[in-house]
Amino acid sequence: MKKQFFTLLFTAISSLALAQKPSPELLNPTNHALVLIDHEGQMAFATKSVDPIQLRNNTGLIAGASKIFNVATVVTTVAEKSFSGPVFPEILEFYPTTSQYIDRTTMNTWEDVNAHKAITGKGKKKIVLAGLWTSVCIVGPALSAINEGYEVYVITDACGDISAEAHNQAITRMVQAGAKPMTALQYLLELQRDWARKETYVPVNDLAQRFGGGYGIGIQYAREMLKH
């Protein structure tokens, strides 16, 4: 009887411990690298699948999130000086050292030696991608990274393309190959995960208030009206 009691107790404790263990599918600040690809003016001009304001806000969310949580991040551009122009101000704000950006001629980031070295050199098996355009500059590295055994996540609303059809078919193609789609706000909140993490609580809410649309307005309201 005593042995049965301790067996049941051990099982209960084990169940509680297992219930508190998050899925390895979830992102955390240290288990992935974020790659921001070609969020540049010339690439944005022809982007029609997402409103440019929303695109900039979503890019601000993920760039800010990566900075708050010190995520291993690579910013890469294509023909920055000769054609595509500078990256969005929302990236420059959080990553102002443009000398660390990797400029390419290749449409597929994975085929650029310096970019590939920078990304794989982070030593992360999970890679999160966002950029312009979805059907070219995101599909290329996504499929290439998956082929090399990496787990790939795509922040779909921080990507865009010349049409909704082009964007949607690109997402479908990547998902069929094993990529995992997510959104910018989801990325931010998945990194925070627990509001008891006080060291990032205020910065995360500040970022969401600024770039999080209706959710951000809700934070402003709660802070003022509820004194929360």
Side-chain angles (χ1 to χ4, degrees):
M1 186 70 178
K2 187 175 180 181
K3 182 178 180 181
Q4 185 179 15
F5 170 78
F6 281 111
T7 299
L8 291 171
L9 179 62
F10 177 77
T11 301
I13 292 172
S14 298
S15 296
L16 287 173
L18 287 173
Q20 294 175 0
K21 187 176 181 180
S23 167
E25 290 287 320
L26 293 171
L27 298 173
N28 66 55
T30 61
N31 71 355
H32 72 285
L34 173 68
V35 188
L36 301 176
I37 301 174
D38 306 348
H39 287 102
E40 300 170 89
Q42 181 61 39
M43 302 303 295
F45 296 155
T47 296
K48 303 300 181 184
S49 63
V50 59
D51 180 86
I53 295 174
Q54 183 181 353
L55 176 63
R56 289 181 60 181
N57 283 339
N58 292 338
T59 302
L61 274 176
I62 59 176
S66 69
K67 199 67 175 180
I68 290 170
F69 291 97
N70 197 30
V71 172
T73 300
V74 175
V75 179
T76 181
T77 57
V78 62
E80 178 187 3
K81 300 300 182 183
S82 61
F83 179 73
S84 296
V87 299
F88 293 178
E90 292 75 15
I91 294 178
L92 281 168
E93 176 182 343
F94 297 107
Y95 293 96
T97 309
T98 57
S99 61
Q100 294 179 357
Y101 298 176
I102 298 170
D103 195 49
R104 320 176 320 277
T105 60
T106 62
M107 286 182 278
N108 180 4
T109 296
W110 208 256
E111 294 180 51
D112 181 89
V113 173
N114 292 328
H116 182 268
K117 182 178 179 181
I119 297 167
T120 59
K122 300 297 184 184
K124 312 296 183 181
K125 291 304 292 181
K126 296 180 186 293
I127 296 175
V128 179
L129 302 174
L132 305 175
W133 294 325
T134 321
S135 61
V136 181
C137 303
I138 302 302
V139 163
L143 298 185
S144 301
I146 290 170
N147 186 60
E148 289 190 23
Y150 289 89
E151 295 179 59
V152 173
Y153 297 69
V154 178
I155 303 179
T156 58
D157 59 356
C159 296
D161 215 312
I162 59 173
S163 68
E165 176 77 3
H167 173 79
N168 293 337
Q169 292 298 342
I171 297 299
T172 298
R173 184 180 180 190
M174 290 186 285
V175 169
Q176 287 176 340
K180 300 158 189 178
M182 64 189 307
T183 65
L185 186 58
Q186 179 185 358
Y187 178 73
L188 172 66
L189 298 181
E190 196 160 314
L191 295 185
Q192 175 66 25
R193 197 87 59 77
D194 186 346
W195 292 121
R197 294 171 179 165
K198 297 299 183 183
E199 67 277 6
T200 53
Y201 179 88
V202 171
V204 163
N205 278 282
D206 286 346
L207 186 71
Q209 179 175 308
R210 183 176 172 194
F211 294 117
Y215 177 62
I217 292 296
I219 293 172
Q220 180 193 30
Y221 179 89
R223 283 174 163 178
E224 178 62 27
M225 304 303 289
L226 305 178
K227 302 302 179 185
H228 178 63

